[in-house]
Structure formats: structure tokens, C-alpha cells
Amino acid sequence: MNRFAEFLRRQIDIDLELLRWAREDLEAGTTTTRCGGSVFRGFRECELKTRLLRLHQHCGVGGGPCDELGQTYPPEDERGCTTRALLGLPYSDRPGYRARWRP
């Protein structure tokens, strides 16, 4: 697994943990805001990112859906395809994100 995929998985895990805390606060009634819809939407967005990352895990090495379209990045780039690069964009302000990963 490359550093970019590891970075993305770690960020999704962080998001999920933050969402779990928010859900627990919401269920316990200890939150002062009504953000239930956004909490549950956040879980769905994490699921979407996880599925897209899994679907495109072999892009750039010849076995992914974007490889069939003729879209490639050099191996040292680590992104694999435009879809993976775009998945990382929301995390570009987090520690560990590298400028070369920008789409």
C-alpha cells in the first residue's frame, strides 16, 4: 500500500471517530446543536470515500478502472488516478498531505 492510500484511509478513520463522538453526544442529548442529519450524512460520505478508494485501489498499476481508460500517473506520484487524487482534496489542509498529491 502506498503512502497516499494510507493517508486517505487514516483521514477517513479520523472522520469516522469524530462522527462517532458527535453521534454519541447527539444520542445522549449533551450537544447544544441539532446536527443529526449532518452526522449521519458524514457517515454516508465516509462510506462513499471508502468504497471509491477500494474501487480505485489498483489504478495506476494496470488493474484499475481508470487504467482501462488510458489514464495513468507515474508510480512515484502515488495517486493512481484522478479519482483518488480528488478523494484526497478535502484533506489537503491536514498534516501529512503532500502538495504533489493535488489533482
Side-chain angles (χ1 to χ4, degrees):
M1 183 180 352
N2 63 45
R3 286 178 285 202
F4 184 60
E6 289 173 8
F7 173 82
L8 286 175
R9 285 188 178 95
R10 189 169 49 253
Q11 301 314 307
I12 293 169
D13 287 345
I14 290 169
D15 286 351
L16 285 170
E17 187 63 26
L18 293 172
L19 287 163
R20 282 185 200 103
W21 290 346
R23 183 184 63 197
E24 288 172 6
D25 288 345
L26 185 68
E27 290 172 350
T30 57
T31 185
T32 58
T33 60
R34 297 195 47 97
C35 60
S38 62
V39 169
F40 296 110
R41 187 177 88 193
F43 280 113
R44 292 189 302 269
E45 288 175 358
C46 286
E47 177 67 18
L48 168 72
K49 292 173 190 175
T50 300
R51 287 182 183 205
L52 284 171
L53 186 56
R54 190 177 311 123
L55 180 66
H56 290 266
Q57 69 184 342
H58 297 295
C59 288
V61 295
C66 295
D67 295 324
E68 295 172 11
L69 300 173
Q71 183 183 49
T72 61
Y73 285 99
E76 64 274 7
D77 190 299
E78 298 180 292
R79 292 179 293 178
C81 69
T82 303
T83 301
R84 284 176 39 147
L86 290 170
L87 283 172
L89 198 54
Y91 305 114
S92 63
D93 63 337
R94 293 197 180 169
Y97 186 87
R98 298 174 183 199
R100 70 174 187 245
W101 292 341
R102 291 189 68 80

